[in-house]
Amino acid sequence: AQSVTQLDSQVPVFEEAPVELRCNYSSSVSVYLFWYVQYPNQGLQLLLKYLSGSTLVKGINGFEAEFNKSQTSFHLRKPSVHISDTAEYFCAVRSLNDYKLSFGAGTTVTVRA
Amino acid sequence: ETGVTQTPRHLVMGMTNKKSLKCEQHLGHNAMYWYKQSAKKPLELMFVYSLEERVENNSVPSRFSPECPNSSHLFLHLHTLQPEDSALYLCASSPRLAGDEQFFGPGTRLTVL
C-alpha cells in the first residue's frame, strides 16, 4: 500500500512570486507519481506525471516537479504564479501495475495581487 | 460534448430520498471510477468498473449502489443516505484499468439534509 503526505494544507502567495508545494510518499514498491489541480467548482485535471526517465518533469501552465527517490518526494514548483493559479493541488501515487491512485489531502494555493 | 460529464452538478436530498448520479465519458475508455471527495480529506476510491464489470468495491455502505450498463456510462444510485455522505462525488475514466492516466469529470456536489 502507498500513502501520500502533502506537507502544507494552505499556501498563500503573491502574484509573480515562486511557489513550491511539497509532497512526500511512502511505498514498498516502485510507483508512478502525479500532480492534479482542481479549480473551483471543477474536477481534477492532470498537471504532470512521473513515470520513468528524467527526474525533472515539466507539465502544463509552467509547472514542474522533481522526483527524488532517496527522499521519497515529488515537490511541485512554479517560478512565477498568476491569479489564475488559485486552486487546490493534489499529489497522487500509484504502483506500477495497479489502478488505485492514492491521493494526498490537498494543498490550497491562494494567489493575491 | 467531450471528456467526462456528470449530472446533476448539484443535488440536495433528504435522508429518505432515492436519487441517482450519472457519469458519461466520451473518450472511448474501458475503465470508470467513482470517488468521494470530502473537505480536507484525500479522495476516496469507491467503485471501479472495467469493461462493465465491477473490479473494486472499497468497503462502501450498501446505501450506495453503482451501475455500469455500458463502457460509456456509470451511475451511482443513492438511497437512505446520511448527512455525513454530503461530499463531492467525482467520476473518472481511463483507457485501460491499469497503467493509464485517469480523466476526471467536474463532480456532483451532494448535500444530504
Side-chain angles (χ1 to χ4, degrees):
Chain A
Q2 300 88 39
S3 67
V4 179
T5 302
Q6 291 184 241
L7 297 157
D8 308 291
S9 61
Q10 298 200 19
V11 174
V13 59
F14 287 106
E15 193 174 20
E16 297 183 9
V19 71
E20 177 180 81
L21 308 183
R22 296 178 294 168
C23 173
N24 286 94
Y25 70 93
S26 67
S27 177
S28 57
V29 298
S30 295
V31 295
Y32 295 143
L33 295 142
F34 305 82
W35 274 100
Y36 283 86
V37 60
Q38 185 176 33
Y39 299 106
N41 301 314
Q42 294 188 29
L44 276 67
Q45 178 183 0
L46 184 68
L47 271 179
L48 48 79
K49 58 187 175 184
Y50 173 78
L51 304 181
S52 63
S54 172
T55 56
L56 184 62
V57 181
K58 294 189 183 297
I60 62 171
N61 301 341
F63 284 92
E64 64 181 31
E66 185 149 23
F67 170 53
N68 188 319
K69 188 173 183 179
S70 62
Q71 296 187 2
T72 60
S73 67
F74 191 54
H75 300 333
L76 181 71
R77 302 184 183 95
K78 185 169 182 177
S80 175
V81 295
H82 303 292
I83 298 289
S84 59
D85 292 320
T86 294
E88 190 150 19
Y89 293 80
F90 294 92
C91 182
V93 301
R94 175 166 63 78
S95 61
L96 301 192
N97 294 314
D98 199 356
Y99 56 83
K100 296 182 185 179
L101 277 170
S102 297
F103 285 87
T107 297
T108 301
V109 173
T110 305
V111 182
R112 295 176 288 187
Chain B
E1 187 131 29
T2 59
V4 181
T5 58
Q6 291 186 243
T7 54
R9 293 294 308 275
H10 300 271
L11 178 63
V12 180
M13 58 187 290
M15 290 192 286
T16 58
N17 291 158
K18 289 185 180 181
K19 297 286 184 183
S20 296
L21 310 185
K22 179 182 176 182
C23 174
E24 185 173 2
Q25 56 96 1
H26 309 267
L27 301 168
H29 290 171
N30 288 326
M32 297 187 77
Y33 312 77
W34 278 118
Y35 288 89
K36 177 183 179 182
Q37 184 180 23
S38 303
K40 288 307 171 188
K41 290 175 65 176
L43 271 74
E44 303 170 47
L45 181 63
M46 300 176 71
F47 300 105
V48 181
Y49 279 82
S50 176
L51 297 170
E52 301 138 51
E53 287 194 21
R54 192 189 310 181
V55 298
E56 179 84 23
N57 181 352
N58 207 13
S59 302
V60 179
S62 59
R63 57 185 184 269
F64 295 91
S65 175
E67 179 190 2
C68 187
N70 56 63
S71 58
S72 298
H73 293 85
L74 185 64
F75 294 89
L76 188 63
H77 304 298
L78 316 171
H79 65 96
T80 60
L81 294 192
Q82 304 298 312
E84 60 264 29
D85 297 322
S86 298
L88 182 68
Y89 288 85
L90 292 164
C91 175
S93 70
S94 62
R96 297 164 303 168
L97 184 58
D100 289 315
E101 172 191 343
Q102 292 179 20
F103 293 78
F104 285 80
T108 295
R109 174 68 62 187
L110 174 67
T111 303
V112 181
L113 301 177

